Amino acid sequence: MSEFAQTEFVQTPSQTVGPFYGFALPYEGGPELVNTAHPAAIRLHGRVIDGAGVGLQDALVEIWQPDENGQISRELGAHEPDGYTFTGFGRAATTRAGDFTFTTVKPGSVGGGAPYVLITVFARGLLHHLFTRAYFVDVSALEALAETDAVVKSVPADRRSTLVAVADGPTSYRFDVRLQGEGETVFLDFDA
Amino acid sequence: MAAISSEAQAARQDGGQPELHPRRGYAPYRSSVLRHPTHALVKADPEEIERTSPAFGHTDVDSYESDLTIQHSGEPLGERIIVTGKVLDGEGRPVRNQLMEIWQANSSGRYVHKRDQHPAPLDPNFTGVGRVITGDDGSYQLTTIKPGPYPWKNHLNAWRPAHIHFSLFGTAFTQRLITQMYFPGDPLFALDPIYQSIVDPAARERLVSSYDHDVTKPEWATGYRWNIVLTGPKSTWMEQDDDHE
């Protein structure tokens, strides 16, 4: 095509999702990767928090993960979940308080690596979305994990705990996303 | 904004890399001030889960969802437009059979959203939400209504240039992109901190569609063309690596 005559394919810039995505992007069943009755169902929840400690009421959180056996789903239908097929993708809008909740399974290890859920955050005021990982390991195991996991290793020791989904119930894990300030979440750049 | 722009221009003239994306902290866009990370992002190699993407197909999306003008019983108000183009990766290969979601204001600049309080009319025949799966050649086509500009409270007399929001999935989850497509010649560009947060003029120009008379249909709709490039995680790195080392 003439626009690409220079045969240079430069990335299209990102822009904020804005405050009004709410009538377009959330969909029924988006936060439920599995049914709550699934024997391995867990709750993965948290709050998206700004630099003043306030929850974001206009953030959108997406997750992408393997199933409990470490299998990556290739099933179609992530936008029309049937309640049975695990597609590995979920989308949740935050509440007025900035909270999000997914019903999913604990991710299994892919290829022997540490199990984690990939988390993407969009929001009004975020000009470019943010990627992070919620590792399903105990905080006390982080030092050992840093030996084997390149990402954890490259993060300063005092910030590593922001990458852990913390058990706050028998089948519940909490992962807060702090965009700025004390305890700022470690965000990842895959373009470098 | 002018000061940031000239500082960015100077950095570029001193041999700096073009800034392909908006600055995450861009003070003229007030909402970004408390919402951007202050630590540098941690560079990571994508692992297998990040090199794959959720699978979408024609079973997920009905073909009529690409026409935003037929979702209600009557014709929506405003200028009917066709928006078409291709989604490509960093090597120019088509991004096939991937999901694209769009949303937008109506021709009066009003969103169907309860927090949008702009006193412009809602259009009973226009919701402003569409979806499409890209074709084998990476192409997409949408029929919709040209959105209107609308005011917001970022600063006194702030108005957003007309735009359509695009949400895209590539073949790797790290290609995930949400962006906005603008219309050529908009007088609000120079005044809009969201558009200007992309400080490189060539980079922000990539968000502006072009009028295409071949896409325009007689007695029916004007046509716009806009291509989107989703690069793989490694393609830009290799270019920069060559330049620097």
Side-chain angles (χ1 to χ4, degrees), chain B residues 127-212:
Chain B
T127 303
V129 179
R131 301 193 300 173
V132 64
I133 300 285
T134 57
D136 282 340
D137 57 353
S139 66
Y140 71 92
Q141 179 160 315
L142 302 156
T143 304
T144 184
I145 296 293
K146 190 173 179 188
Y150 57 86
W152 58 311
K153 291 176 179 161
N154 187 73
H155 55 276
L156 183 67
N157 211 7
W159 291 78
R160 293 293 338 272
H163 62 273
I164 300 177
H165 294 267
F166 278 69
S167 158
L168 295 125
F169 289 83
T171 52
F173 203 76
T174 51
Q175 290 179 311
R176 182 87 179 88
L177 180 73
I178 289 184
T179 187
Q180 301 177 21
M181 183 202 93
Y182 297 91
F183 293 88
D186 197 313
L188 294 167
F189 283 155
L191 304 165
D192 179 46
I194 292 181
Y195 181 69
Q196 295 293 329
S197 67
I198 307 162
V199 296
D200 183 72
R204 60 178 179 251
E205 188 73 18
R206 288 183 198 111
L207 295 185
V208 183
S209 57
S210 56
Y211 172 74
D212 189 329

Coordinates of all heavy atoms in Angstrom, one line a residue, chain B residues 127-212:
Chain B
T127 N -25.7 3.7 19.2 CA -25.0 3.4 20.4 C -23.6 3.7 20.4 O -23.0 4.1 21.4 CB -25.3 1.9 20.8 OG1 -26.7 1.7 20.8 CG2 -24.7 1.5 22.1
G128 N -22.9 3.4 19.3 CA -21.5 3.7 19.1 C -20.5 2.6 19.5 O -19.4 2.9 19.9
V129 N -21.0 1.4 19.4 CA -20.1 0.3 19.7 C -20.1 -0.7 18.6 O -21.1 -1.1 18.0 CB -20.7 -0.5 21.0 CG1 -19.8 -1.7 21.3 CG2 -20.7 0.4 22.2
G130 N -18.9 -1.1 18.2 CA -18.8 -2.1 17.1 C -17.6 -3.0 17.3 O -16.7 -2.8 18.1
R131 N -17.7 -4.2 16.6 CA -16.6 -5.1 16.7 C -16.4 -5.8 15.3 O -17.4 -5.9 14.5 CB -16.9 -6.3 17.6 CG -17.2 -5.8 19.0 CD -17.2 -7.0 20.0 NE -18.3 -8.0 19.7 CZ -18.4 -9.1 20.3 NH1 -17.5 -9.5 21.3 NH2 -19.3 -10.0 20.0
V132 N -15.2 -6.2 15.0 CA -15.0 -6.8 13.7 C -13.8 -7.8 13.9 O -12.9 -7.5 14.8 CB -14.7 -5.8 12.6 CG1 -13.5 -4.9 12.8 CG2 -14.7 -6.4 11.2
I133 N -13.7 -8.8 13.1 CA -12.6 -9.7 13.1 C -11.8 -9.4 11.8 O -12.4 -9.3 10.7 CB -13.0 -11.2 13.1 CG1 -13.8 -11.5 14.3 CG2 -11.8 -12.1 12.9 CD1 -13.0 -11.7 15.6
T134 N -10.5 -9.1 11.9 CA -9.7 -8.8 10.7 C -9.7 -9.9 9.7 O -9.8 -11.1 10.1 CB -8.3 -8.4 11.1 OG1 -7.7 -9.5 11.7 CG2 -8.2 -7.1 11.9
G135 N -9.6 -9.6 8.4 CA -9.6 -10.6 7.4 C -8.3 -11.2 7.2 O -7.3 -11.0 7.9
D136 N -8.2 -12.1 6.2 CA -7.0 -12.8 5.9 C -5.8 -11.9 5.5 O -4.7 -12.3 5.6 CB -7.2 -13.9 4.8 CG -7.9 -15.1 5.3 OD1 -7.9 -15.3 6.5 OD2 -8.5 -15.8 4.5
D137 N -6.2 -10.7 4.9 CA -5.2 -9.8 4.6 C -5.0 -8.7 5.7 O -4.3 -7.7 5.4 CB -5.5 -9.1 3.2 CG -6.9 -8.4 3.3 OD1 -7.6 -8.6 4.3 OD2 -7.2 -7.7 2.3
G138 N -5.5 -9.0 6.8 CA -5.4 -8.0 7.9 C -6.4 -6.8 7.9 O -6.3 -5.9 8.7
S139 N -7.3 -6.9 6.9 CA -8.1 -5.7 6.6 C -9.3 -5.7 7.5 O -9.8 -6.7 8.0 CB -8.5 -5.6 5.2 OG -9.4 -6.7 4.9
Y140 N -9.9 -4.5 7.7 CA -11.1 -4.3 8.4 C -11.9 -3.3 7.7 O -11.4 -2.4 7.0 CB -10.9 -3.9 9.9 CG -10.3 -2.5 10.0 CD1 -11.2 -1.4 10.2 CD2 -9.0 -2.2 9.9 CE1 -10.8 -0.1 10.3 CE2 -8.5 -0.9 9.9 CZ -9.4 0.2 10.1 OH -9.0 1.5 10.2
Q141 N -13.2 -3.3 7.9 CA -14.1 -2.2 7.4 C -15.2 -2.0 8.4 O -15.9 -2.9 8.8 CB -14.6 -2.5 6.0 CG -15.5 -1.4 5.5 CD -15.7 -1.4 4.0 OE1 -14.7 -1.5 3.3 NE2 -16.9 -1.2 3.5
L142 N -15.4 -0.7 8.7 CA -16.5 -0.3 9.6 C -17.4 0.7 9.0 O -16.9 1.5 8.2 CB -15.9 0.3 10.9 CG -14.9 -0.5 11.7 CD1 -13.9 0.4 12.5 CD2 -15.6 -1.5 12.6
T143 N -18.7 0.7 9.2 CA -19.6 1.7 8.8 C -20.1 2.4 10.1 O -20.6 1.7 11.0 CB -20.7 1.1 8.0 OG1 -20.2 0.4 6.9 CG2 -21.6 2.2 7.4
T144 N -20.0 3.7 10.1 CA -20.4 4.4 11.4 C -20.8 5.8 11.0 O -21.1 6.1 9.9 CB -19.3 4.2 12.4 OG1 -19.8 4.8 13.6 CG2 -18.0 4.9 12.0
I145 N -20.9 6.6 12.1 CA -21.2 8.0 11.9 C -20.0 8.8 12.4 O -19.4 8.4 13.4 CB -22.5 8.4 12.8 CG1 -23.7 7.6 12.3 CG2 -22.7 9.9 12.9 CD1 -24.2 8.1 10.9
K146 N -19.7 9.9 11.8 CA -18.6 10.7 12.2 C -18.9 11.3 13.6 O -19.9 12.0 13.8 CB -18.3 11.8 11.2 CG -16.9 12.5 11.5 CD -16.5 13.5 10.5 CE -15.2 14.1 10.9 NZ -14.9 15.2 9.9
P147 N -18.0 11.0 14.6 CA -18.3 11.5 15.9 C -18.1 13.0 16.0 O -17.3 13.5 15.3 CB -17.3 10.7 16.8 CG -16.2 10.3 15.9 CD -16.8 10.2 14.5
G148 N -18.8 13.6 16.9 CA -18.5 15.1 17.1 C -17.5 15.3 18.2 O -17.2 14.4 19.0
P149 N -16.9 16.5 18.2 CA -16.0 16.9 19.3 C -16.8 17.1 20.6 O -18.0 17.3 20.5 CB -15.4 18.2 18.9 CG -16.3 18.7 17.8 CD -17.0 17.6 17.2
Y150 N -16.2 17.0 21.7 CA -17.0 17.2 23.0 C -16.1 17.9 24.0 O -14.9 17.7 24.0 CB -17.6 15.9 23.5 CG -16.6 14.8 23.8 CD1 -15.9 14.7 25.0 CD2 -16.3 13.8 22.8 CE1 -15.0 13.7 25.3 CE2 -15.4 12.8 23.1 CZ -14.8 12.8 24.3 OH -13.9 11.8 24.6
P151 N -16.7 18.6 24.9 CA -16.0 19.3 26.0 C -15.6 18.3 27.1 O -16.3 17.4 27.4 CB -17.0 20.3 26.5 CG -18.3 19.7 26.3 CD -18.2 18.9 25.0
W152 N -14.5 18.6 27.8 CA -14.2 17.9 29.0 C -13.5 18.9 29.9 O -13.3 20.1 29.6 CB -13.3 16.7 28.7 CG -12.0 16.9 28.0 CD1 -11.8 17.6 26.9 CD2 -10.7 16.4 28.4 NE1 -10.5 17.6 26.5 CE2 -9.8 16.9 27.4 CE3 -10.2 15.6 29.4 CZ2 -8.4 16.6 27.4 CZ3 -8.9 15.3 29.4 CH2 -8.0 15.8 28.5
K153 N -13.3 18.5 31.2 CA -12.9 19.4 32.2 C -11.5 19.5 32.5 O -11.1 20.0 33.6 CB -13.7 19.1 33.5 CG -15.2 19.3 33.3 CD -16.0 18.9 34.5 CE -17.5 19.2 34.2 NZ -18.4 18.4 35.1
N154 N -10.6 19.1 31.6 CA -9.2 19.1 31.9 C -8.7 20.5 32.1 O -7.8 20.7 33.0 CB -8.5 18.5 30.7 CG -7.0 18.3 30.9 OD1 -6.6 17.4 31.7 ND2 -6.2 19.1 30.3
H155 N -9.1 21.4 31.4 CA -8.8 22.8 31.5 C -9.9 23.7 30.9 O -10.8 23.2 30.3 CB -7.4 23.1 30.8 CG -7.4 22.8 29.4 ND1 -7.1 21.5 28.9 CD2 -7.7 23.5 28.3 CE1 -7.2 21.4 27.6 NE2 -7.5 22.6 27.2
L156 N -9.8 25.0 31.1 CA -10.9 25.9 30.6 C -11.0 25.7 29.1 O -10.0 25.8 28.4 CB -10.5 27.3 31.0 CG -11.6 28.3 30.6 CD1 -12.9 28.1 31.4 CD2 -11.1 29.8 30.8
N157 N -12.2 25.5 28.7 CA -12.5 25.4 27.2 C -11.8 24.3 26.5 O -11.3 24.4 25.4 CB -12.2 26.8 26.6 CG -13.1 27.0 25.4 OD1 -14.1 26.3 25.1 ND2 -12.8 28.1 24.6
A158 N -11.7 23.2 27.2 CA -11.1 22.0 26.7 C -12.1 21.2 25.8 O -13.2 20.9 26.3 CB -10.5 21.1 27.8
W159 N -11.7 20.9 24.6 CA -12.5 20.1 23.7 C -11.7 19.0 23.1 O -10.6 19.2 22.6 CB -13.1 21.0 22.6 CG -14.1 21.9 23.1 CD1 -13.9 23.1 23.7 CD2 -15.6 21.8 22.9 NE1 -15.1 23.7 24.0 CE2 -16.1 23.0 23.5 CE3 -16.4 20.8 22.4 CZ2 -17.5 23.2 23.6 CZ3 -17.8 21.0 22.4 CH2 -18.3 22.2 23.0
R160 N -12.2 17.8 23.1 CA -11.5 16.7 22.4 C -11.7 16.7 20.9 O -12.9 16.9 20.5 CB -12.0 15.3 22.9 CG -11.8 14.9 24.3 CD -10.3 14.6 24.8 NE -9.3 14.3 23.8 CZ -9.0 13.0 23.3 NH1 -9.7 12.0 23.7 NH2 -8.1 12.9 22.4
P161 N -10.7 16.6 20.1 CA -10.9 16.4 18.7 C -11.8 15.2 18.5 O -11.8 14.2 19.3 CB -9.5 16.1 18.1 CG -8.5 16.4 19.3 CD -9.3 16.4 20.5
A162 N -12.5 15.2 17.4 CA -13.4 14.0 17.1 C -12.5 12.8 17.0 O -11.4 12.8 16.4 CB -14.1 14.2 15.8
H163 N -12.9 11.7 17.6 CA -12.1 10.4 17.5 C -12.9 9.2 17.7 O -14.0 9.2 18.3 CB -11.0 10.5 18.6 CG -11.5 10.6 20.0 ND1 -11.9 11.8 20.6 CD2 -11.8 9.6 20.9 CE1 -12.3 11.5 21.8 NE2 -12.4 10.2 22.0
I164 N -12.4 8.1 17.2 CA -13.0 6.8 17.5 C -11.9 6.0 18.3 O -10.8 5.9 17.9 CB -13.3 6.1 16.1 CG1 -14.3 6.9 15.3 CG2 -13.8 4.7 16.4 CD1 -14.6 6.3 14.0
H165 N -12.4 5.3 19.4 CA -11.5 4.5 20.2 C -11.4 3.1 19.5 O -12.4 2.5 19.1 CB -12.1 4.3 21.6 CG -12.1 5.5 22.4 ND1 -11.1 5.9 23.3 CD2 -13.1 6.5 22.5 CE1 -11.4 7.0 23.9 NE2 -12.6 7.4 23.4
F166 N -10.2 2.6 19.4 CA -9.9 1.3 18.9 C -9.2 0.4 19.9 O -8.3 0.9 20.5 CB -9.0 1.4 17.6 CG -9.7 1.7 16.3 CD1 -10.2 3.0 16.1 CD2 -9.8 0.8 15.3 CE1 -10.8 3.3 14.9 CE2 -10.4 1.1 14.1 CZ -10.9 2.4 13.9
S167 N -9.7 -0.8 20.1 CA -9.1 -1.8 20.9 C -8.7 -3.0 20.1 O -9.5 -3.5 19.4 CB -10.1 -2.2 22.0 OG -9.7 -3.4 22.6
L168 N -7.4 -3.4 20.1 CA -6.9 -4.4 19.2 C -6.2 -5.5 20.0 O -5.4 -5.3 20.9 CB -5.9 -3.8 18.2 CG -6.6 -2.8 17.3 CD1 -5.9 -1.5 17.3 CD2 -6.7 -3.4 15.9
F169 N -6.4 -6.7 19.5 CA -5.6 -7.9 19.9 C -4.7 -8.3 18.7 O -5.2 -8.5 17.6 CB -6.5 -9.0 20.3 CG -7.2 -8.8 21.6 CD1 -8.4 -8.1 21.6 CD2 -6.8 -9.3 22.8 CE1 -9.1 -7.8 22.8 CE2 -7.5 -9.1 24.0 CZ -8.6 -8.3 24.0
G170 N -3.4 -8.5 19.0 CA -2.6 -9.1 17.9 C -2.5 -10.6 18.2 O -3.3 -11.2 18.8
T171 N -1.4 -11.1 17.6 CA -1.2 -12.6 17.8 C -0.3 -12.9 19.1 O -0.1 -14.0 19.4 CB -0.5 -13.1 16.6 OG1 0.7 -12.3 16.3 CG2 -1.4 -13.1 15.4
A172 N 0.2 -11.8 19.7 CA 0.9 -12.0 21.0 C 0.2 -11.0 22.0 O -0.2 -9.9 21.6 CB 2.3 -11.6 20.9
F173 N 0.1 -11.4 23.2 CA -0.7 -10.5 24.1 C 0.1 -9.2 24.3 O -0.5 -8.2 24.7 CB -0.9 -11.2 25.5 CG -2.1 -10.6 26.2 CD1 -3.4 -10.8 25.7 CD2 -1.9 -9.7 27.2 CE1 -4.5 -10.2 26.4 CE2 -3.0 -9.1 27.8 CZ -4.2 -9.3 27.4
T174 N 1.4 -9.3 24.1 CA 2.2 -8.0 24.3 C 1.9 -7.0 23.1 O 2.4 -5.9 23.2 CB 3.7 -8.4 24.3 OG1 4.0 -9.2 23.2 CG2 4.1 -9.1 25.6
Q175 N 1.2 -7.4 22.1 CA 0.8 -6.5 21.0 C -0.5 -5.8 21.4 O -0.9 -4.9 20.6 CB 0.6 -7.3 19.7 CG 1.8 -7.8 19.1 CD 1.5 -8.5 17.8 OE1 0.6 -9.4 17.8 NE2 2.2 -8.2 16.7
R176 N -1.1 -6.1 22.5 CA -2.4 -5.5 22.9 C -2.3 -4.0 22.8 O -1.3 -3.4 23.3 CB -2.7 -6.0 24.3 CG -4.0 -5.5 24.9 CD -5.1 -6.4 24.5 NE -6.4 -5.9 25.1 CZ -7.2 -5.1 24.5 NH1 -6.9 -4.6 23.3 NH2 -8.3 -4.7 25.1
L177 N -3.3 -3.4 22.2 CA -3.2 -1.9 22.0 C -4.6 -1.3 22.1 O -5.6 -1.9 21.5 CB -2.7 -1.6 20.6 CG -2.6 -0.1 20.3 CD1 -1.4 0.5 21.0 CD2 -2.3 0.1 18.8
I178 N -4.8 -0.3 22.8 CA -6.0 0.6 22.8 C -5.5 2.0 22.4 O -4.5 2.5 22.9 CB -6.7 0.6 24.1 CG1 -7.4 -0.8 24.4 CG2 -7.7 1.7 24.2 CD1 -8.2 -0.9 25.6
T179 N -6.2 2.5 21.4 CA -5.7 3.8 20.8 C -6.9 4.6 20.3 O -8.1 4.2 20.5 CB -4.6 3.6 19.8 OG1 -4.1 4.9 19.4 CG2 -5.2 2.9 18.5
Q180 N -6.7 5.7 19.7 CA -7.8 6.5 19.1 C -7.4 6.9 17.7 O -6.3 7.3 17.5 CB -8.0 7.8 20.0 CG -8.3 7.4 21.5 CD -8.4 8.7 22.4 OE1 -8.7 9.8 21.9 NE2 -8.3 8.5 23.7
M181 N -8.4 6.9 16.8 CA -8.2 7.3 15.5 C -8.8 8.7 15.3 O -10.0 8.9 15.8 CB -8.9 6.4 14.5 CG -8.7 6.8 13.0 SD -10.0 6.1 11.9 CE -11.1 7.5 11.9
Y182 N -8.1 9.6 14.7 CA -8.6 11.0 14.6 C -8.9 11.3 13.1 O -8.5 10.5 12.2 CB -7.5 12.0 15.1 CG -7.2 11.9 16.6 CD1 -6.2 11.0 17.0 CD2 -8.0 12.6 17.5 CE1 -6.0 10.9 18.4 CE2 -7.7 12.5 18.9 CZ -6.7 11.6 19.3 OH -6.4 11.5 20.6
F183 N -9.5 12.4 12.8 CA -9.8 12.8 11.5 C -8.9 13.9 11.0 O -8.5 14.8 11.7 CB -11.3 13.2 11.4 CG -12.2 12.1 11.7 CD1 -12.6 11.7 13.0 CD2 -12.7 11.3 10.7 CE1 -13.4 10.7 13.3 CE2 -13.6 10.2 10.9 CZ -13.9 9.9 12.2
P184 N -8.6 13.9 9.7 CA -7.6 14.8 9.1 C -8.1 16.3 9.3 O -9.3 16.6 9.2 CB -7.5 14.5 7.7 CG -8.7 13.6 7.3 CD -9.1 13.0 8.6
G185 N -7.1 17.2 9.5 CA -7.4 18.6 9.5 C -8.1 19.1 10.7 O -8.7 20.2 10.7
D186 N -8.2 18.4 11.8 CA -9.0 18.8 13.0 C -8.3 20.1 13.6 O -7.2 20.0 14.0 CB -9.1 17.7 14.0 CG -10.2 17.9 15.0 OD1 -10.3 19.0 15.5 OD2 -11.0 17.0 15.2
P187 N -9.0 21.2 13.8 CA -8.4 22.4 14.4 C -8.1 22.2 15.9 O -7.4 23.0 16.5 CB -9.5 23.5 14.2 CG -10.8 22.7 14.0 CD -10.4 21.4 13.4
L188 N -8.6 21.1 16.5 CA -8.4 21.0 17.9 C -7.1 20.2 18.3 O -6.7 20.1 19.4 CB -9.6 20.2 18.5 CG -10.9 21.0 18.5 CD1 -12.1 20.1 18.8 CD2 -10.9 22.2 19.4
F189 N -6.4 19.7 17.2 CA -5.2 18.9 17.5 C -4.2 19.6 18.4 O -3.7 19.1 19.4 CB -4.5 18.5 16.2 CG -5.2 17.4 15.4 CD1 -5.0 17.3 14.1 CD2 -5.9 16.5 16.1 CE1 -5.5 16.3 13.3 CE2 -6.5 15.4 15.3 CZ -6.3 15.3 14.0
A190 N -3.9 20.9 18.0 CA -2.9 21.6 18.7 C -3.2 21.9 20.2 O -2.4 22.3 21.0 CB -2.6 22.9 18.0
L191 N -4.5 21.8 20.5 CA -5.0 22.2 21.8 C -5.3 21.0 22.7 O -5.7 21.2 23.9 CB -6.3 23.1 21.6 CG -6.1 24.3 20.8 CD1 -7.5 24.8 20.4 CD2 -5.3 25.4 21.5
D192 N -5.1 19.8 22.2 CA -5.6 18.6 22.9 C -4.4 17.9 23.6 O -3.6 17.3 22.9 CB -6.3 17.7 21.9 CG -6.8 16.4 22.6 OD1 -7.3 16.5 23.7 OD2 -6.5 15.3 22.1
P193 N -4.4 17.9 24.9 CA -3.3 17.3 25.6 C -3.2 15.8 25.4 O -2.1 15.2 25.6 CB -3.5 17.7 27.1 CG -4.9 18.1 27.2 CD -5.3 18.6 25.9
I194 N -4.3 15.1 25.1 CA -4.2 13.7 24.9 C -3.5 13.4 23.6 O -2.6 12.5 23.6 CB -5.6 13.0 25.0 CG1 -6.1 13.1 26.5 CG2 -5.5 11.6 24.6 CD1 -7.5 12.5 26.7
Y195 N -3.9 14.1 22.6 CA -3.2 13.9 21.3 C -1.7 14.4 21.4 O -0.8 13.7 20.9 CB -3.9 14.7 20.2 CG -3.3 14.6 18.8 CD1 -3.4 13.4 18.1 CD2 -2.8 15.7 18.2 CE1 -2.8 13.3 16.8 CE2 -2.2 15.7 17.0 CZ -2.3 14.5 16.3 OH -1.7 14.4 15.0
Q196 N -1.5 15.6 22.1 CA -0.2 16.1 22.1 C 0.8 15.4 23.1 O 2.0 15.6 23.1 CB -0.3 17.6 22.6 CG -0.9 18.5 21.6 CD -0.1 18.7 20.3 OE1 1.1 18.6 20.3 NE2 -0.9 18.9 19.2
S197 N 0.2 14.5 23.9 CA 1.1 13.7 24.8 C 2.0 12.8 24.0 O 3.0 12.3 24.5 CB 0.2 12.8 25.7 OG -0.5 11.8 25.0
I198 N 1.7 12.6 22.7 CA 2.7 11.9 21.8 C 3.5 13.1 21.3 O 3.1 13.8 20.4 CB 1.9 11.2 20.7 CG1 0.9 10.2 21.2 CG2 2.9 10.5 19.8 CD1 -0.1 9.8 20.2
V199 N 4.7 13.2 21.8 CA 5.5 14.4 21.6 C 6.1 14.4 20.2 O 6.5 15.5 19.7 CB 6.5 14.7 22.7 CG1 5.8 15.0 24.0 CG2 7.5 13.6 22.8
D200 N 6.3 13.3 19.6 CA 6.9 13.2 18.3 C 5.9 13.5 17.2 O 4.9 12.7 17.1 CB 7.5 11.8 18.1 CG 8.3 11.7 16.7 OD1 9.3 12.3 16.6 OD2 7.8 11.1 15.8
P201 N 6.1 14.5 16.4 CA 5.0 14.9 15.4 C 4.7 13.8 14.4 O 3.5 13.5 14.1 CB 5.6 16.1 14.7 CG 6.7 16.6 15.5 CD 7.2 15.4 16.3
A202 N 5.7 13.0 14.0 CA 5.4 11.9 13.0 C 4.7 10.8 13.7 O 3.8 10.2 13.1 CB 6.8 11.4 12.5
A203 N 4.9 10.6 15.0 CA 4.2 9.5 15.7 C 2.8 9.9 15.9 O 1.9 9.0 15.6 CB 4.9 9.2 17.1
R204 N 2.5 11.1 16.3 CA 1.1 11.4 16.5 C 0.3 11.5 15.2 O -0.9 11.2 15.1 CB 0.9 12.6 17.4 CG 1.5 13.9 16.9 CD 1.1 15.1 17.9 NE 1.7 16.3 17.4 CZ 2.7 16.9 17.9 NH1 3.3 16.4 19.0 NH2 3.2 18.0 17.4
E205 N 1.0 11.8 14.1 CA 0.4 11.8 12.8 C -0.2 10.4 12.4 O -1.1 10.3 11.7 CB 1.4 12.3 11.8 CG 0.9 12.6 10.4 CD 0.0 13.8 10.3 OE1 0.1 14.7 11.2 OE2 -0.7 13.9 9.3
R206 N 0.5 9.4 13.0 CA 0.0 8.0 12.7 C -1.4 7.7 13.2 O -1.9 6.7 12.8 CB 1.0 7.0 13.3 CG 2.3 7.0 12.5 CD 3.3 5.9 13.0 NE 4.6 6.3 12.5 CZ 5.6 6.8 13.3 NH1 5.5 6.8 14.6 NH2 6.7 7.2 12.7
L207 N -1.9 8.6 14.1 CA -3.2 8.4 14.6 C -4.3 9.1 13.7 O -5.5 9.0 14.0 CB -3.3 8.8 16.0 CG -2.5 8.1 17.0 CD1 -2.8 8.5 18.4 CD2 -2.7 6.6 16.9
V208 N -3.9 9.8 12.7 CA -4.8 10.5 11.9 C -5.1 9.8 10.6 O -4.3 9.4 9.8 CB -4.2 11.9 11.5 CG1 -5.3 12.8 10.7 CG2 -3.8 12.7 12.8
S209 N -6.4 9.5 10.4 CA -6.8 8.8 9.2 C -6.8 9.8 8.0 O -6.6 11.0 8.2 CB -8.3 8.3 9.4 OG -9.1 9.4 9.7
S210 N -6.8 9.2 6.8 CA -6.9 10.1 5.6 C -8.2 9.9 4.9 O -8.8 8.8 4.9 CB -5.7 9.7 4.7 OG -5.7 8.4 4.4
Y211 N -8.7 11.0 4.3 CA -9.9 10.9 3.5 C -9.5 10.1 2.2 O -8.5 10.4 1.6 CB -10.4 12.3 3.2 CG -11.6 12.2 2.2 CD1 -12.8 11.7 2.5 CD2 -11.3 12.5 0.8 CE1 -13.8 11.6 1.6 CE2 -12.4 12.3 -0.1 CZ -13.6 11.9 0.3 OH -14.6 11.7 -0.6
D212 N -10.3 9.2 1.9 CA -10.0 8.4 0.7 C -11.3 8.3 -0.2 O -12.3 7.7 0.1 CB -9.6 6.9 1.1 CG -9.1 6.1 -0.1 OD1 -9.5 6.3 -1.2 OD2 -8.2 5.2 0.2

